[in-house]
Amino acid sequence: MFDDLSAPFALAAVLAFFVLYFLPALLAFWRDAENRWLVLAVNVLFGASVLGWFFALYLATRKPKAPHGARAGGVG
């Protein structure tokens, strides 16, 4: 009955898995993060463990550091 839907469903499931698995790296490259290559490396090497995936997500979403000597609050 559902044999004609099994291939598209399997393809969609595999695609969704890879998007979720590489979400930290995708976010890092989309945000043009300074450490995007590190995020990709951590994601590929340690993403299979839940801890590694969350660490890569943390690296991808943390705020960039302010340039040295910059003042918080504006010009001056």
Side-chain angles (χ1 to χ4, degrees):
M1 181 170 153
F2 295 107
D3 290 337
D4 57 337
L5 295 178
S6 61
F9 178 75
L11 181 62
V14 168
L15 182 63
F17 170 78
F18 278 108
V19 167
L20 286 175
Y21 185 81
F22 287 107
L23 183 65
L26 293 171
L27 284 174
F29 277 90
W30 181 60
R31 294 178 59 177
D32 200 27
E34 180 179 310
N35 57 348
R36 60 188 170 269
W37 292 106
L38 174 64
V39 173
L40 180 64
V42 169
N43 198 180
V44 168
L45 297 173
F46 305 111
S49 71
V50 176
L51 185 62
W53 189 88
F54 277 110
F55 182 64
L57 185 64
Y58 163 75
L59 290 174
T61 57
R62 68 182 181 171
K63 292 184 179 184
K65 294 180 180 177
H68 187 67
R71 302 183 85 180
V75 179

